[in-house]
Amino acid sequence: MAVSLSSYPTFLSPVLRTKFVSRKSQKLKLRYSCRPVVLNASYNSTSSFSWDDVFGVISKPDDSTSHSSKLDGFFQRIKTCNRGFEMKSEFLPFIIEEQIAGYVHNQFASHLRKFQDVFAFPEDNLFGNGGGGGYVILNPSLKSPEDRTKAVGDVIKCLGGGVIPGIRNELYPVTTSYGVPAYFSLERAAAPFFGIKAYGIHLIGYVDRDGEKSLWIGKRSDMKPTFPGMLDHLAAGGLPHDITCKENVMKECQEEAGIPRSISNGAVSVGAVSYVDINGYSYKRDVLFCYDLKLPADFVPTNEDGEVESFRLIPVKDVANIIRRTEFFKANCCLVIIDFLFRHGYISPEDPGYINLLQSLRSGDCS
């Protein structure tokens, strides 16, 4: 039983046409009027499976008739996370300080062109855009990270709801690689529309009983705006601009699974996976830092933020079969769990496709 990960409705929403006027104080003041705009936006439909369906998949006999088919389902899940490369030519490079910081769809750029005091659009092919030249830059008058954050943030507020749905009031750093100073900070919901590199933390919580490992798996709330009702590993979250990975791990563990810091402090950093997903106006370039947490045998997670409906403890081999046979898991969680399977010996070099599968876990720029 396969579950569609998303649907793409067309809808009518008010979008603010804007004009910026520069004052002597160099502050930008926004003037606007409303105009309806029709566009396609990506939303995620509620999945329609239950825990009974999940355990029904587990109870079926192994359908791998040969070693060559053992990894096929894993390749399919990774492919789901790495869509749309053929659409790359539809995007303009987003340049900051002569570096490519992201990618903007040429139709989404038409909205940004209305904000001439914030964005500019040189027409040359200096940065190798395969779509025929041109790129997006910030107005040169915006020199400091604070000024850029404020100016772009005002634009996002105008475009929110219609062009950019799901505003979260959470800022992501805009940077070319992890750990370097940020050019500015950008609303999380806008990150894929600007094609910036985004980072997150993903934690797998497992129990080891007599040498048999089991994973705590959550089923996301049907009220979640993204991937409602789908399976997830124990804790995860995007990485905002003002928090370390380890601190974020402990925060998400508490909120999503009720894990006290005395336990979550034992989470072990084990690497990263990455992917590139191009879909409509969205250009996701995500790097996920992976953590393992060995939990006490008697620990039972409890959700505290309303984002998880329930949890089940499932043997690793059965989790692997769920991923291979279905699309029940939130897509990028599959990458993190497949990485766990490699590291804990559930996938071996004797399995045909081993190297290709291992490399595909880092299909994006993992920097």
Side-chain angles (χ1 to χ4, degrees), residues 148-353:
R148 294 166 178 171
T149 298
K150 175 65 168 60
V152 177
D154 287 342
V155 173
I156 302 306
K157 289 177 183 177
C158 288
L159 299 181
V163 180
I164 303 176
I167 299 297
R168 301 191 184 197
N169 296 313
E170 180 180 340
L171 296 176
Y172 273 7
V174 177
T175 181
T176 54
S177 60
Y178 181 71
V180 303
Y183 297 122
F184 69 99
S185 297
L186 178 69
E187 157 65 37
R188 175 176 179 172
F193 290 87
F194 285 85
I196 69 166
K197 189 174 290 184
Y199 299 89
I201 57 92
H202 281 236
L203 177 135
I204 290 182
Y206 71 95
V207 173
D208 192 337
R209 291 186 176 129
D210 300 323
E212 181 178 356
K213 294 184 178 71
S214 297
L215 306 187
W216 277 107
I217 300 299
K219 193 172 189 298
R220 295 163 69 89
S221 167
D222 286 341
M223 303 306 293
K224 284 279 290 180
T226 55
F227 305 100
M230 302 198 74
L231 299 185
D232 209 333
H233 42 60
L234 193 56
L239 189 64
H241 76 296
D242 58 353
I243 189 171
T244 66
C245 284
K246 187 59 177 286
E247 186 64 30
N248 205 24
V249 165
M250 292 189 286
K251 178 181 76 71
E252 296 293 345
C253 279
Q254 182 68 56
E255 294 174 355
E256 297 190 354
I259 303 173
R261 296 174 73 93
S262 58
I263 294 178
S264 63
N265 189 51
V268 178
S269 173
V270 292
V273 297
S274 62
Y275 60 95
V276 178
D277 183 28
I278 303 174
N279 182 30
Y281 293 176
S282 171
Y283 197 128
K284 288 178 66 65
R285 300 192 297 146
D286 288 358
V287 177
L288 310 179
F289 295 107
C290 302
Y291 286 78
D292 284 356
L293 177 60
K294 185 176 180 180
L295 292 162
D298 59 353
F299 177 81
V300 177
T302 55
N303 179 247
E304 296 186 356
D305 61 7
E307 295 187 355
V308 182
E309 170 196 293
S310 54
F311 295 97
R312 296 291 187 275
L313 185 63
I314 304 177
V316 173
K317 291 181 180 179
D318 291 336
V319 174
N321 278 333
I322 296 169
I323 291 176
R324 286 175 47 235
R325 299 173 181 177
T326 76
E327 295 179 2
F328 287 169
F329 271 94
K330 179 173 174 281
N332 63 2
C333 294
C334 293
L335 274 65
V336 178
I337 295 174
I338 293 170
D339 180 68
F340 180 93
L341 298 177
F342 272 105
R343 292 184 288 99
H344 290 262
Y346 293 91
I347 301 174
S348 70
E350 287 67 44
D351 296 318

Side-chain angles (χ1 to χ4, degrees), residues 18 26 33 42 44 94 144 189 225 241 253 285 298 301 320 342 358:
T18 63
Q26 300 302 313
S33 59
S42 174
N44 300 291
F94 179 34
S144 72
H241 76 296
C253 279
R285 300 192 297 146
D298 59 353
F342 272 105
L358 184 63

Side-chain angles (χ1 to χ4, degrees), residues 8-139:
Y8 311 101
T10 300
F11 63 100
L12 187 67
S13 297
V15 177
L16 301 178
R17 295 188 66 188
T18 63
K19 180 179 180 181
F20 277 105
V21 179
S22 179
R23 302 297 187 186
K24 290 182 179 180
S25 64
Q26 300 302 313
K27 292 183 179 179
L28 300 176
K29 185 174 181 180
L30 185 63
R31 293 178 178 175
Y32 59 86
S33 59
C34 290
R35 177 187 181 187
V37 175
V38 177
L39 67 155
N40 289 325
S42 174
Y43 282 91
N44 300 291
S45 59
T46 301
S47 57
S48 56
F49 65 88
S50 66
W51 282 115
D52 287 341
D53 296 317
V54 173
F55 288 106
V57 170
I58 293 172
S59 66
K60 292 181 180 179
D62 196 328
D63 56 1
S64 295
T65 57
S66 67
H67 284 296
S68 62
S69 65
K70 178 179 177 181
L71 304 185
D72 288 352
F74 298 147
F75 277 111
Q76 288 300 315
R77 302 295 86 77
I78 293 172
K79 184 178 180 181
T80 299
C81 285
N82 292 277
R83 302 173 297 172
F85 186 77
E86 68 281 1
M87 297 170 58
K88 187 174 180 179
S89 63
E90 299 178 12
F91 289 76
L92 304 173
F94 179 34
I95 307 301
I96 306 178
E97 297 179 9
E98 300 186 350
Q99 299 295 318
I100 297 178
Y103 296 90
V104 175
H105 193 274
N106 51 35
Q107 293 186 34
F108 178 71
S110 67
H111 298 290
L112 302 184
R113 290 179 186 274
K114 301 166 187 175
F115 302 88
Q116 296 181 8
D117 282 357
V118 181
F119 298 101
F121 295 83
E123 296 294 335
D124 61 73
N125 198 30
L126 183 62
F127 292 92
N129 175 28
Y135 49 95
V136 185
I137 62 173
L138 293 176
N139 189 301

